Amino acid sequence: MARPAEVRQAAAPTSSRQAARRVRILGAAAELGAREGLASVQMHDVAKEAGVAIATLYRYFPSKPYLFLSVLEWHIDQFLGGRDTGPAADEVADPAAEVAEMLIALSGKLLGSPLLASAVALSSFTEYASAVPTQIDIVERSLGQRLLHLLGDRADARSKVRLLVYTWWGLFVAMLTEEISTDQGETDLRLAARLITAP
């Protein structure tokens, strides 16, 4: 009987040169995904576009779903990096509104490239269901950290951040698949933020 393939762990860059190479790969995957969609993108195409060997690509990204899930994280990091950290919870008059508007803006940015948005959404479902372990705490990711900053260090803040991220993701997918309109998604995000952040 054949043994299942051993799951490859993604390597982390250890130098600025490797980090730049990883970003080149993410940029190439994002560009190809936005232009062609997930099904048409091959790992060889990404490697060629990024100017790296296929072995290098697989060292950082063991599968195509893992690669496009990383593209999603990279886009979120870029979105948040392009905005200042913002005020802390005690400096925000209406944390629910601040949270909602940030998540609405993030949705708009991702939905601005429908093929890429579909690629990262499909990859996230595949990756979470696959044998490749992600083992992440969503609160520790950049989006979770920004929301935690906005909500402050309350006892229930981490749970509220998880609820906000998962609610945002569900509404993002519903808008992407046109199950709901963008306007309805934004209205629902505002309501969810108000309900979840309530004391």
Side-chain angles (χ1 to χ4, degrees), residues 119-199:
V120 298
L122 287 169
S123 293
S124 73
F125 300 136
T126 303
E127 180 61 17
Y128 284 120
S130 77
V132 178
T134 48
Q135 304 290 320
I136 60 167
D137 179 355
I138 201 72
V139 179
E140 295 305 319
R141 298 298 200 186
S142 56
L143 180 58
Q145 287 296 297
R146 181 64 59 88
L147 292 171
L148 199 57
H149 179 75
L150 282 169
L151 295 183
D153 192 20
R154 301 188 317 227
D156 61 352
R158 293 180 73 81
S159 293
K160 288 186 176 193
V161 166
R162 274 190 289 277
L163 287 169
L164 284 165
V165 172
Y166 292 136
T167 301
W168 164 72
W169 183 251
L171 289 169
F172 167 74
V173 170
M175 289 184 280
L176 174 63
T177 59
E178 298 181 350
E179 180 182 335
I180 61 174
S181 69
T182 303
D183 288 345
Q184 185 62 57
E186 292 177 3
T187 299
D188 291 353
L189 267 171
R190 288 186 180 100
L191 175 60
R194 179 112 7 241
L195 292 173
I196 292 169
T197 61

Side-chain angles (χ1 to χ4, degrees), residues 8-11 25 42-44 53-64:
R8 237 186 298 206
Q9 295 295 320
I25 293 168
Q42 300 300 313
M43 294 294 266
H44 283 283
I54 191 72
T56 300
L57 172 61
Y58 277 109
R59 184 173 354 136
Y60 295 121
F61 307 100
S63 69
K64 188 163 74 167

Side-chain angles (χ1 to χ4, degrees), residues 25 28-29 32 35-52 54 57 64 67:
I25 293 168
L32 288 167
R35 194 170 61 225
E36 300 175 18
L38 183 66
S40 297
V41 175
Q42 300 300 313
M43 294 294 266
H44 283 283
D45 299 330
V46 175
K48 182 177 178 184
E49 183 90 10
V52 300
I54 191 72
L57 172 61
K64 188 163 74 167
L67 170 60

